[in-house]
Amino acid sequence: MAAPFVPPKSTHAKPHVPEWVPPPTTKLVTDWAHVTEVDLSKLDSEDPEVVKELIATTKKAIKEDGFIYLTNYGISLQDLHRQFSLAQYLHRNISEEDKERLIVDIKSGKFAGWKGRHGFVDKNAKNNFDGIEQFNFYREEFANMDARVPEIIKPFMDEIVAFCEYLTQSVNRRLLTLLSRVLELPDDYLWDHVQGHGGPVNDGYFRHALFHPLESDVKERMAGIRMMGHTDYGTTTMLFSVPVTALQICPKRDGNWKYVKYNPGALVINLGEALEIVSAGQFKATLHKVAQPPADQENTERLSIVLFNAAKSDLQLKPFDNSPLIQREGYNLTTFGVFTEFHKAIQAGMAVPNCKDWREHQIARKGQSEPQKKNGTPKIINGVKFWEDTYMGVKVLLPA
């Protein structure tokens, strides 16, 4: 049985942190996305039938959607709300000096540091306001807190470190055990061969994000989208379910986007491109976006905390052909999956990239821009509008 999360005992006096109060949920949405709930505690069951059913449920969910609610993973609602209180405290109190000193530079291939309410590309450009503030903690932020962390949050870094370490070393390790079993591989296979290691967030990063309500002219310009449709490039993304409805998924890639319902305390897990590729498409990288909230929440701030787990930097992105599941069922070359396009590019002679090159290439090219300006003219496929982009010779199609 996995041990539950235990917050560290403070060895020094800390400033008072106002409690985060979850805002009211929407009453306007009734047609929610289907998201399968996976009870991680069942992995420790002594009943083999319970474990067998858990594996089957997980296999079905991640092959069809790549998206699950993870419950009973070891962190109490009280301890989770404390982390939201710290994120709120950071956003309300970070100094202007630290905002300038720690500003993000995505040309580095990382989101590390502070992002203001402007897009990633140019904070001074007109029409580049997106209303999203972020602070992203990478391994380097934890290793050099004096220089790379906002002054206001330094007294609480022991709590943030402990929280991140539990997510990476306990929750994600157990989740990867479950996914290894889906592939019919040894329990630690994905942990040992795919997951990056080192520091509280390994090769990934931890994000505090605050979505501010938009003025009417900006809402019109953003066409109802806060963050455009995309898939993540790592292993697993751990997004804590929040009351303000904005996260949407499009499992069938048919242009039919649906909101994800608030599930208090649940981790919303989406799988990244690295897992889709090494699983030969048996796992699906989750297509998701952040949309404008419903009318009864559009003037409410949306606070979010996320941990992005990354694959080993030197991992060559190619299928694990030793998986009995892949040997039996073959490559899943679906119409719009990233593995399908990746496989085509490899077959055409593209060199197999490693994970570091793949993710940093994507980050360096990213920037929030209005949907109508994204990648020129959209393609229409079977009546659905798609934006097309190319990363390292791999075409990526994302429904608008």
Side-chain angles (χ1 to χ4, degrees):
M1 182 69 69
F5 173 67
V6 178
K9 292 183 179 180
S10 180
T11 58
H12 57 275
K14 296 182 179 180
H16 170 69
V17 175
E19 183 178 349
W20 175 71
V21 179
T25 56
T26 182
K27 295 179 175 59
L28 299 180
V29 179
T30 57
D31 186 18
W32 299 99
H34 170 72
V35 180
T36 300
E37 188 166 306
V38 172
D39 182 343
L40 192 59
S41 68
K42 291 183 178 180
L43 189 64
D44 296 321
S45 175
E46 295 180 0
D47 185 344
E49 290 302 313
V50 171
V51 177
K52 182 178 178 181
E53 181 181 1
L54 176 67
I55 294 170
T57 298
T58 304
K59 178 183 177 182
K60 185 174 185 295
I62 61 181
K63 189 169 184 176
E64 294 180 358
D65 303 327
F67 217 75
I68 59 174
Y69 287 128
L70 198 68
T71 60
N72 293 323
Y73 51 86
I75 298 176
S76 71
L77 194 61
Q78 178 182 352
D79 290 333
L80 175 57
H81 282 193
R82 170 63 175 178
Q83 293 295 319
F84 274 90
S85 297
L86 294 178
Q88 176 180 260
Y89 186 76
L90 184 154
H91 281 285
R92 288 182 176 175
N93 296 284
I94 184 173
S95 68
E96 294 300 318
E97 179 184 358
D98 276 348
K99 289 179 182 180
E100 289 295 324
R101 180 175 65 87
L102 300 170
I103 195 165
V104 64
D105 175 17
I106 64 166
K107 292 180 181 178
S108 69
K110 294 184 177 181
F111 295 116
W114 174 258
K115 175 199 170 295
R117 301 189 199 187
H118 47 80
F120 282 106
V121 180
D122 182 358
K123 69 173 184 174
N124 297 313
K126 292 182 178 180
N127 297 327
N128 197 28
F129 181 90
D130 63 14
I132 306 170
E133 292 178 322
Q134 299 175 357
F135 192 85
N136 295 295
F137 300 85
Y138 280 73
R139 186 192 305 193
E140 292 81 3
E141 276 62 48
F142 291 104
N144 190 4
M145 296 182 196
D146 285 344
R148 302 188 65 146
V149 169
E151 289 293 329
I152 197 68
I153 205 68
K154 286 180 180 178
F156 310 99
M157 288 303 295
D158 60 332
E159 297 179 61
I160 293 174
V161 167
F163 185 70
C164 289
E165 287 180 339
Y166 187 82
L167 287 174
T168 56
Q169 303 299 315
S170 179
V171 181
N172 192 50
R173 184 164 188 168
R174 284 179 281 146
L175 177 58
L176 291 179
T177 294
L178 178 57
L179 297 180
S180 292
R181 292 189 186 183
V182 171
L183 290 174
E184 302 171 25
L185 291 167
D187 281 1
D188 282 338
Y189 197 89
L190 293 177
W191 176 260
D192 290 339
H193 296 278
V194 178
Q195 180 60 52
H197 298 288
V201 291
N202 298 322
D203 282 330
Y205 57 101
F206 182 56
R207 171 176 291 171
H208 287 170
L210 183 62
F211 293 73
H212 293 271
L214 296 179
E215 299 294 333
S216 57
D217 61 325
V218 181
K219 280 194 291 185
E220 182 178 357
R221 174 166 56 81
M222 295 297 291
I225 299 175
R226 300 303 303 269
M227 295 183 72
M228 294 190 65
H230 64 284
T231 52
D232 294 338
Y233 40 77
T235 54
T236 63
T237 298
M238 299 178 159
L239 174 70
F240 290 91
S241 188
V242 294
V244 178
T245 296
L247 179 65
Q248 292 186 336
I249 62 174
C250 185
K252 298 185 184 301
R253 286 166 164 75
D254 57 359
N256 185 22
W257 293 90
K258 289 189 177 183
Y259 285 114
V260 175
K261 190 175 184 179
Y262 176 46
N263 187 346
L267 263 173
V268 182
I269 302 290
N270 65 272
L271 303 188
E273 293 164 353
L275 283 185
E276 179 172 330
I277 294 167
V278 300
S279 71
Q282 295 293 334
F283 298 165
K284 181 186 290 185
T286 313
L287 180 60
H288 59 288
K289 70 179 179 181
V290 181
Q292 181 69 10
D296 59 350
Q297 291 185 316
E298 65 181 359
N299 294 316
T300 304
E301 290 182 342
R302 178 178 182 265
L303 185 66
S304 174
I305 57 177
V306 193
L307 196 141
F308 298 86
N309 288 294
K312 292 177 181 287
S313 292
D314 61 354
L315 175 70
Q316 295 294 303
L317 284 168
K318 55 186 179 181
F320 288 144
D321 290 331
N322 59 329
S323 160
L325 177 69
I326 296 173
Q327 291 173 0
R328 186 173 63 254
E329 299 188 7
Y331 289 3
N332 183 18
L333 300 171
T334 55
T335 308
F336 300 120
V338 67
F339 174 65
T340 301
E341 297 302 323
F342 208 90
H343 182 67
K344 289 179 183 176
I346 297 295
Q347 293 294 101
M350 183 187 83
V352 178
N354 62 37
C355 285
K356 181 177 185 293
D357 292 341
W358 177 248
R359 67 174 177 255
E360 292 187 358
H361 177 82
Q362 291 194 56
I363 291 174
R365 295 193 57 214
K366 286 186 185 296
Q368 282 292 90
S369 60
E370 296 85 346
Q372 62 268 29
K373 292 183 180 179
K374 181 71 174 176
N375 304 327
T377 305
K379 289 187 173 185
I380 307 297
I381 304 175
N382 297 328
V384 180
K385 183 191 293 184
F386 288 84
W387 302 112
E388 181 181 293
D389 213 336
T390 302
Y391 299 118
M392 301 181 73
V394 178
K395 290 183 179 180
V396 179
L397 292 172
L398 299 173

